[in-house]
Amino acid sequence: MPVKVSVIVPVHDPGPRIATCVASLLGQSLPPDEYEVIFVDDGSTDATPALLDALAAEDPRVRVVHQENSGRPGGPRNVGIDAARGEYVMFVDDHDRLGDAALERLYAYGVANDADVVVGKTAGEGRAAPVELFRANRPRADVATAPLIDSLTPHKMVRRAFLERAGLRFPEGRRRLEDHVFVTEAYLRAGNVSVLGDYVCYYHVRRDDASDPGLRRPEPVGYFKNLREALDVVERYTAPGPLRDSLFRRWLRVEMVERLRGRAFLDLPEDYRRELFAEIHAVIVERFGPGVAAPLQPARRVVAALAAEGRYDDVVAFARWETGVALAVDPVDVAWREGVLRIVFTAEMSHDGAPMVFPSAAGSPRWPPRDLAEAVRLLGAETVARFDRTVPDLLLRERTSSAQYLQPVEVVRETVPAGDGSRVRLVLRATAVLDPATAVSGDAPREGLWDMWVRVRLGGWTQEVRLGPAARHGRPTPPAAVVAGRVVLPYWTERYASLALDVGHATKRLGLGRVSAGDVSVEEDRFRVVLPLHVPQSADAVLRLAPVKPGDAWEVGATLSPGGRLEAVLPVDGLRGRTWLTAVCLSPGAEGARFHPLPFALHVDQDGALVVPAPQPGGARRLARKVRRVLYRALGRGTPPRR
């Protein structure tokens, strides 16, 4: 069968990190005979070459090419392209991983849309990932209609015939930004680019050491020489005008302005700061016309204007002022409504811990600002003028993978008078709706822990913070819910007092221990109990009855109804003469479903069933068990045997 996809992985001394990458590549849902994995070993000096050779000997999908070290991954990627047999090639780095169905979905999407380039949703573990680009699927995209230019990492699927027809390859040698040059040209020359935004295809992982070249402090002269090569590509394939300016704006914003802002800039050594600033100033003056910086958000436009004029001291002063800027989020209400979680919060910018204030009238600011005070006034006026377009995002982010998903939000924007009325606060009052059945691009979140983050873009700042902190007294505490066949518990984290979701993991935190005898009734064989749960519609459950003394347990089908009512028919004849501990499984159809103990027992005799407190081990027995555990650990003997 023809190979659909060739995965190309440049490798250099990855150490144990490569194991996760390999597992994700060989565990793909695409049938094994429909893809291949080409590892290009770029002169590794660790045990990786032998490991890859052994892997290739065992798995026919795997091929390995060994070469002397070239210094950067561009050359190895080109070697992989030349060796590839697939209809498409997919570029993966040795410390990253793919989603389980990434190759299958990307390939199918590319074929369906006749795409030369397919961009899959990326999650950043320890590093930033684009948000705007992946708000929706984009079957037909280009640099003029979609923010493709925000994603210039090489981790794309590209049609091999397109690469050959265009003669497109990565720049080689010891250099930086080879991916910018390659991806920009691919975007500009492709017949069609498709963006798959509803499935996380690529997990971009920050390495836990200093071995990631992309995270090392760049040498300014060489770095901006390589950046000019990406600008050359834009000039080669676009005409002067708005489109070219909009593409150039990406490098001005990300590679220049952002490097001159805030604490990250101030923490650089003084001599390096000056060299960096000089190179950025040179590129701006040399390559960018006025149309490039003009549409920038206010804070970025301030920095760009100061850099263009060579005003290093003012850039430093503005960076110091910006270190006080933050986003303050206040959770107002969190409540279940018919199976969806309704989250109300406010968000506004702060400065040095106090709400930021802005001029009540926009006025006509003068560009460029003459000093820091005028820059701050100018920034405030433009921020007020753009406030009516500001929308907060609520992101549901998986804790283990950092995959994140936007939730629907409605917003009311308020300008709140401050002081004598000449200044205002800009407050966003938002209501988000999180549906546990569809919160992950139309699917349910998988089992695990999920955090909620708020993202606001205002005035040239993009701030992301956890949804919190919430005061420990009086904060909204919605119960767990049984939704879409799983138990979903909203809770406030201990460390950050921020809102999170526990999907399918919660046990003690469900609050079932609060059930009292008054919540339970038994009439003949009819068992009923009211549980502190949100149940939007009737669902199946299982009641387990385990004898206090050794013996076989019973599992009885039950129904969970709105209001948290659990009902079951008891096998009374089989229960007589014993006391039975109770537990309930609230999601019997879910993988890894678990039973949750209830704080009561049933004693069944000839007269029927009586609800009694669940037997607890005596104080002496608990103390003895604790002492035994401590002694066994102290002696290095593990856990004591059960008695």
Side-chain angles (χ1 to χ4, degrees):
M1 180 174 291
V3 176
K4 292 180 177 178
V5 182
S6 297
V7 183
I8 298 170
V9 188
V11 178
H12 180 70
D13 288 349
R17 288 186 305 268
I18 198 171
T20 302
C21 176
V22 169
S24 81
L25 298 180
L26 300 185
Q28 288 294 299
S29 61
L30 194 66
D33 60 347
E34 294 184 4
Y35 73 100
E36 64 179 356
V37 182
I38 303 172
F39 292 99
V40 182
D41 172 43
D42 195 38
S44 293
T45 59
D46 60 6
T48 302
L51 182 151
L52 295 177
D53 288 340
L55 187 65
E58 295 177 0
D59 195 316
R61 289 173 290 182
V62 176
R63 288 194 284 154
V64 183
V65 178
H66 297 284
Q67 65 177 34
E68 293 184 3
N69 182 251
S70 66
R72 285 289 288 172
R77 290 191 187 112
N78 290 339
V79 170
I81 293 171
D82 293 339
R85 299 174 296 187
E87 181 182 350
Y88 283 84
V89 296
M90 176 76 194
F91 300 105
V92 176
D93 285 343
D94 60 19
H95 54 283
D96 298 335
R97 69 182 190 277
L98 296 180
D100 293 343
L103 297 184
E104 181 178 10
R105 293 197 182 202
L106 288 169
Y107 176 81
Y109 198 63
V111 170
N113 295 293
D114 192 25
D116 288 329
V117 181
V118 192
V119 185
K121 182 174 182 175
T122 301
E125 294 188 21
R127 44 166 99 226
V131 174
E132 298 304 315
L133 179 60
F134 301 120
R135 281 186 180 273
N137 287 343
R138 305 172 190 264
R140 301 199 67 81
D142 57 48
V143 293
T145 61
L148 290 173
I149 204 69
D150 287 350
S151 178
L152 292 180
T153 62
H155 315 121
K156 317 286 189 281
M157 186 175 283
V158 186
R159 187 165 14 214
R160 188 162 60 91
F162 163 66
L163 294 177
E164 299 305 329
R165 184 172 64 252
L168 187 55
R169 293 294 189 271
F170 288 89
E172 299 187 9
R174 297 183 182 275
R175 50 162 296 127
R176 303 292 290 269
L177 302 180
E178 71 283 341
D179 47 357
H180 287 208
V181 175
F182 176 89
V183 175
T184 300
E185 185 168 352
Y187 285 159
L188 291 171
R189 300 184 67 183
N192 181 40
V193 180
S194 294
V195 180
L196 183 64
D198 62 1
Y199 178 77
V200 178
C201 298
Y202 199 92
Y203 293 88
H204 197 189
V205 182
R206 182 186 181 115
R207 299 185 190 180
D208 55 4
D209 55 31
S211 61
D212 190 338
L215 297 176
R216 296 176 196 154
R217 184 184 299 162
E219 184 276 310
V221 173
Y223 187 85
F224 286 98
K225 175 184 176 183
N226 295 151
L227 185 146
R228 287 177 173 90
E229 295 174 24
L231 303 182
D232 291 341
V233 171
V234 174
E235 289 184 343
R236 189 178 309 131
Y237 294 104
T238 65
L243 175 59
R244 178 183 291 181
D245 287 347
S246 71
L247 298 179
F248 278 175
R249 196 171 303 126
R250 186 267 176 213
W251 283 277
L252 174 61
R253 173 172 50 87
V254 177
E255 306 297 337
M256 301 181 200
V257 167
E258 290 304 314
R259 292 182 183 276
L260 301 177
R261 297 180 70 183
R263 179 55 56 194
F265 179 57
L266 296 176
D267 286 345
L268 296 172
E270 171 69 13
D271 57 345
Y272 182 85
R273 269 204 326 241
R274 288 187 176 277
E275 185 181 8
L276 178 67
F277 178 83
E279 288 299 317
I280 290 173
H281 167 71
V283 175
I284 292 175
V285 172
E286 168 191 318
R287 304 297 290 265
F288 298 155
V292 177
L296 286 174
Q297 290 291 316
R300 289 175 175 143
R301 191 179 175 200
V302 166
V303 177
L306 297 177
E309 293 197 337
R311 293 161 57 182
Y312 171 79
D313 290 339
D314 286 339
V315 168
V316 172
F318 189 76
R320 289 200 180 100
W321 180 85
E322 274 200 302
T323 60
V325 176
L327 174 64
V329 174
D330 181 23
V332 176
D333 189 35
V334 184
W336 290 106
R337 297 284 189 274
E338 299 181 351
V340 300
L341 196 62
R342 183 175 176 272
I343 303 162
V344 181
F345 63 92
T346 63
E348 67 176 310
M349 305 306 294
S350 67
H351 191 268
D352 290 341
M356 187 178 288
V357 293
F358 303 85
S360 57
S364 301
R366 169 190 175 278
W367 282 97
R370 288 170 293 192
D371 53 30
L372 176 61
E374 187 171 80
V376 173
R377 287 196 299 272
L378 181 155
L379 169 60
E382 289 218 350
T383 300
V384 170
R386 300 173 185 230
F387 183 55
D388 61 350
R389 300 191 292 274
T390 303
V391 178
D393 291 324
L394 181 70
L395 295 160
L396 182 65
R397 183 175 297 172
E398 188 175 27
R399 192 172 298 175
T400 56
S401 71
S402 298
Q404 58 188 13
Y405 302 88
L406 290 157
Q407 306 304 307
V409 175
E410 294 182 354
V411 63
V412 175
R413 304 171 191 87
E414 294 185 2
T415 54
V416 180
D420 61 3
S422 64
R423 304 181 74 77
V424 294
R425 292 164 50 196
L426 304 180
V427 180
L428 299 165
R429 300 191 182 278
T431 301
V433 175
L434 191 154
D435 185 345
T438 61
V440 175
S441 298
D443 294 326
R446 61 186 176 186
E447 186 173 294
L449 301 179
W450 298 75
D451 294 301
M452 296 189 202
W453 290 71
V454 174
R455 176 178 180 263
V456 172
R457 295 186 301 160
L458 175 65
W461 300 290
T462 299
Q463 298 277 339
E464 282 186 3
V465 297
R466 297 173 186 272
L467 181 50
R472 296 188 180 277
H473 299 288
R475 64 190 179 190
T477 54
V482 180
V483 186
R486 286 184 301 175
V487 181
V488 179
L489 173 68
Y491 72 99
W492 301 97
T493 64
E494 288 293 329
R495 182 175 182 182
Y496 301 105
S498 59
L499 190 62
L501 282 189
D502 184 325
V503 180
H505 271 182
T507 52
K508 294 180 180 179
R509 288 186 302 186
L510 290 182
L512 300 184
R514 299 194 301 268
V515 176
S516 66
D519 298 317
V520 188
S521 67
V522 182
E523 298 176 4
E524 297 181 352
D525 62 350
R526 296 284 172 174
F527 168 85
R528 297 181 179 87
V529 60
V530 178
L531 303 176
L533 299 170
H534 175 72
V535 182
Q537 58 187 18
S538 295
D540 292 335
V542 176
L543 179 68
R544 175 184 285 171
L545 302 165
V548 172
K549 296 181 179 180
D552 295 333
W554 290 79
E555 291 188 0
V556 181
T559 300
L560 191 62
S561 303
R565 292 185 296 274
L566 181 75
E567 301 185 21
V569 177
L570 300 177
V572 175
D573 290 340
L575 301 177
R576 283 195 174 96
R578 289 189 175 187
T579 300
W580 301 85
L581 301 174
T582 57
V584 62
C585 179
L586 299 167
S587 54
E591 184 178 351
R594 50 180 55 81
F595 279 87
H596 306 281
L598 298 172
F600 58 85
L602 297 178
H603 178 72
V604 185
D605 58 19
Q606 295 301 320
D607 296 326
L610 178 68
V611 179
V612 298
Q616 299 293 326
R621 285 182 63 192
R622 288 199 301 272
L623 180 59
R625 288 179 179 175
K626 183 175 181 180
V627 170
R628 289 177 64 219
R629 286 196 297 269
V630 171
L631 287 173
Y632 266 70
R633 283 197 294 267
L635 295 171
R637 296 169 62 183
T639 304
R642 290 183 175 272
R643 291 185 176 179

